[in-house]
Amino acid sequence: MRRKMTGISILLITTALATVALADHGHREHHGHRRTKAAPTTAIPAEELARYREECGSCHLAYPPGLLPARSWTRLMGGLDDHFGQNAELDDATRLELTQWLEARAAETGSHPRSAKALRSAGADTPLRISELPYILRKHHELRDEVFTRPEVLSRANCAACHRTAEEWVFDEDSARIPPR
Amino acid sequence: MSSTETRVRVWDIGVRLFHWSLAGLILGAYLTAEEDATVGLHARLGLAVLAWVIFRVVWGLVGPAPARFRTFVRSPREVLAYARDYVRGQPGLHLSHNPLGGVMVVSLLALLLALTGSGLLMYLGPEWSGPLSPYMGRSLAHGVEELHEGLAGALPVLVVLHVAGVLLSSRLERQNLVLSMITGRKRAPDATPPARARAPAVVVAAGLGLATFIGLGLLLPGRADAAETPQALLQSYQRQAEAEGSGFAGFDPARGKALFLKETSGADPSSCAGCHGADPTRAGRSPAGRNIEPLAPSAQPERFTDAAKADKWFKRNCKQLLRRDCTATERGDVLAWLLTL
């Protein structure tokens, strides 16, 4: 009896251990692919996204890497000490790591549903702004320049002021709202 | 199982306690590994595992004969020969671990040593703002973390093999090896002199005491509780300011406030207040239109709880406005002022 009990409890412990380990593994494996259809951000491991937001999301939206070509990210990351007039410098290790991270998810990789259009729109240039891609400008043709200077907006680069789902990298008409004058 | 056979005491109390504590601790460590709320406990359980593993290694060198590596670590040829007998279903009896078991024990110990060692490095490194942080670059820290996670994935595989081996051997040897690890007794191979395997009580007690002491984290209080505070950061600025020399005479909140509000012509925004607002207990706004949480710790408790973050922003923002990094004295002045708000 006692023997059986010990045998069974050992089996239980083992099963538990194995389940925890396997479940954990599965969790990590599938995390990135679960709901790709929903928002492009869900395709990024949570830790990586959090880190990107920590380093590049304090002053503005942590922009989707998939809306600029890799060469744009390379150049942008090479000039962080004068980043659109701001000092956004990083220590070398972080900068290199983030540069690679951005390049690996640039428009060429199709990481965003609008990557292909953004890439074509960039043509042979090395644009540093998503807001000034001809494709993005065209999408806002119907908006007067004035709306982009409203106090809540300030700038064309402030996607999140109008696109309530910008943080999830979802930009569509339905979730866009123009703040009052 | 005949009742006339000889059963001898093989596993001393040290080995047995080691075995079952380890099983429990490892299970606990796996259950607490993922959640932020429990990683502090995870780290301590891991340290307890490390302490036990060290104990077992020492025990394998100086402990009673059946516990010693010399007794159960066999040459590859012997291991192979044993494996062949095993597959045929006729393994011989071994008083200590059988040759395959010996391989498993050594593998488990080595894996656990690497697993807990890498965990300890994480604990002492930047991940936990530990004392080794200045010496570990981000890529090294990252590598250690990857190693730790990889090993953690491999351990359950070994454990499953280990348990499977024990169950199978129990069948083949017609004795309950799990029970042996509890009672310490095993069937003796024919013609074995009944080995005395009593451990010197003092050594066991010392080993256990040490293991528990280190393990339960009396030496290393949970880092999570000891998170950085603005006050601690201020003290570190003070040490730096004193090291910078030239008559440091304490921080001055008024000087900090003046620096914060000082206008720099030609810069846009033209002062710290241009982004953070003149009242740091309220939110500010970046030039790109994003809200900036209040800087004053009284309004945003997470402020200045991460020295690296504070240093990064001081450096950037000072360069932006003053065209140079701020000194430790200036940082301390600003922080001292923010702490008065």
Side-chain angles (χ1 to χ4, degrees):
Chain A
M1 190 59 203
R2 219 165 26 154
R3 278 178 210 168
K4 271 207 180 124
M5 295 260 290
T6 17
I8 289 171
S9 62
I10 277 296
L11 248 169
L12 276 180
I13 293 181
T14 322
T15 328
L17 259 183
T19 327
V20 171
L22 291 178
D24 175 40
H25 204 70
H27 176 67
R28 282 198 189 143
E29 293 278 275
H30 294 294
H31 198 72
H33 309 285
R34 217 176 336 163
R35 295 186 317 170
T36 354
K37 275 279 179 289
T41 40
T42 51
I44 312 270
E47 290 160 42
E48 293 181 18
L49 191 64
R51 189 151 147 63
Y52 177 51
R53 285 180 173 156
E54 169 72 23
E55 297 300 351
C56 301
S58 306
C59 298
H60 47 62
L61 173 72
Y63 297 108
L67 293 185
L68 285 176
R71 57 182 184 279
S72 297
W73 292 118
T74 314
R75 180 175 300 174
L76 188 120
M77 294 300 285
L80 285 179
D81 53 343
D82 185 5
H83 176 73
F84 303 92
Q86 297 300 316
N87 186 318
E89 67 186 25
L90 291 167
D91 64 87
D92 282 347
T94 312
R95 183 172 55 78
L96 290 176
E97 197 188 312
L98 266 180
T99 307
Q100 286 173 7
W101 189 87
L102 287 161
E103 287 165 354
R105 283 159 191 77
E108 289 88 338
T109 68
S111 64
H112 191 275
R114 298 183 188 272
S115 286
K117 291 173 183 168
L119 191 60
R120 284 195 78 174
S121 173
D125 293 347
T126 306
L128 295 184
R129 283 185 180 276
I130 297 168
S131 60
E132 289 178 5
L133 287 174
Y135 166 60
I136 295 294
L137 285 174
R138 201 163 52 241
K139 285 291 178 190
H140 299 99
H141 258 343
E142 291 179 12
L143 307 186
R144 277 167 290 124
D145 280 345
E146 175 266 324
V147 301
F148 293 102
T149 60
R150 292 184 183 182
E152 261 187 65
V153 182
L154 281 188
S155 150
R156 281 183 175 269
N158 194 0
C159 322
C162 308
H163 292 278
R164 276 167 295 169
T165 50
E167 213 60 57
E168 281 72 51
W169 299 347
V170 173
F171 305 95
D172 53 29
E173 296 169 39
D174 305 335
S175 51
R177 168 198 65 102
I178 299 173
R181 209 184 288 249
Chain B
M1 213 180 286
S2 82
S3 52
T4 55
E5 74 195 10
T6 27
R7 306 194 110 244
V8 287
R9 182 176 289 281
V10 177
W11 304 127
D12 64 273
I13 182 74
V15 170
R16 284 179 278 152
L17 272 175
F18 158 79
H19 181 273
W20 295 112
S21 311
L22 202 66
L25 289 169
I26 291 174
L27 179 62
Y30 267 86
L31 293 176
T32 51
E34 283 299 309
E35 300 298 324
D36 273 351
T38 54
V39 281
L41 182 57
H42 170 80
R44 280 182 239 187
L45 290 167
L47 284 170
V49 172
L50 177 58
W52 274 111
V53 169
I54 292 172
F55 165 78
R56 184 64 183 92
V57 171
V58 172
W59 212 229
L61 298 173
V62 305
R68 290 200 192 188
F69 294 122
R70 239 192 4 221
T71 313
F72 61 79
V73 176
R74 297 305 172 84
S75 70
R77 185 182 305 165
E78 275 173 279
V79 172
L80 277 179
Y82 178 82
R84 263 195 301 274
D85 293 347
Y86 200 83
V87 174
R88 281 199 220 104
Q90 298 160 329
L93 278 186
H94 287 261
L95 201 54
S96 177
H97 299 292
N98 68 48
L100 279 176
V103 172
M104 177 54 77
V105 170
V106 172
S107 320
L108 276 169
L109 286 177
L111 181 76
L112 285 171
L113 210 54
L115 181 60
T116 51
S118 56
L120 182 61
L121 267 183
M122 280 165 75
Y123 196 73
L124 298 176
E127 179 81 8
W128 291 79
S129 320
L132 294 185
S133 315
Y135 314 104
M136 283 172 76
R138 213 189 269 284
S139 53
L140 177 60
H142 189 71
V144 170
E145 197 178 331
E146 293 275 290
L147 177 69
H148 189 69
E149 286 177 1
L151 293 169
L155 181 60
V157 179
L158 280 196
V159 170
V160 168
L161 281 177
H162 167 60
V163 174
V166 167
L167 295 179
L168 194 57
S169 293
S170 294
R171 262 193 79 114
L172 297 177
E173 295 177 11
R174 288 176 297 108
Q175 63 173 333
N176 188 334
L177 291 174
V178 179
L179 196 63
S180 302
M181 202 32 101
I182 297 173
T183 62
R185 293 176 166 280
K186 273 180 84 171
R187 255 176 74 204
D190 303 337
T192 320
R196 296 304 297 159
R198 182 140 313 178
V202 188
V203 183
V204 175
L208 298 188
L210 186 72
T212 336
F213 184 64
I214 301 179
L216 290 183
L218 288 173
L219 280 179
L220 294 155
R223 292 273 168 180
D225 322 333
E228 284 179 72
T229 61
Q231 287 74 18
L233 188 61
L234 195 63
Q235 275 170 19
S236 120
Y237 287 152
Q238 177 161 352
R239 282 192 296 276
Q240 290 171 38
E242 282 159 1
E244 274 170 10
S246 62
F248 171 73
F251 293 126
D252 179 357
R255 225 164 38 205
K257 180 178 183 181
L259 175 81
F260 200 80
L261 298 176
K262 185 177 146 214
E263 298 278 331
T264 304
S265 59
D268 178 28
S270 56
S271 72
C272 310
C275 285
H276 292 290
D279 177 2
T281 61
R282 324 223 354 214
R285 201 158 181 224
S286 86
R290 173 146 288 206
N291 253 32
I292 304 176
E293 299 267 300
L295 266 192
S298 60
Q300 169 48 271
E302 282 187 15
R303 285 293 181 213
F304 302 102
T305 55
D306 177 348
K309 178 175 180 182
D311 282 339
K312 175 177 79 180
W313 282 102
F314 263 127
K315 188 171 173 194
R316 277 179 180 169
N317 292 344
C318 289
K319 281 188 172 175
Q320 176 77 20
L321 284 169
L322 314 176
R323 301 282 145 213
R324 61 166 176 84
D325 199 354
C326 286
T327 62
T329 309
E330 286 167 328
R331 292 175 194 215
D333 286 344
V334 171
L335 181 51
W337 173 58
L338 291 172
L339 282 168
T340 64
L341 300 175

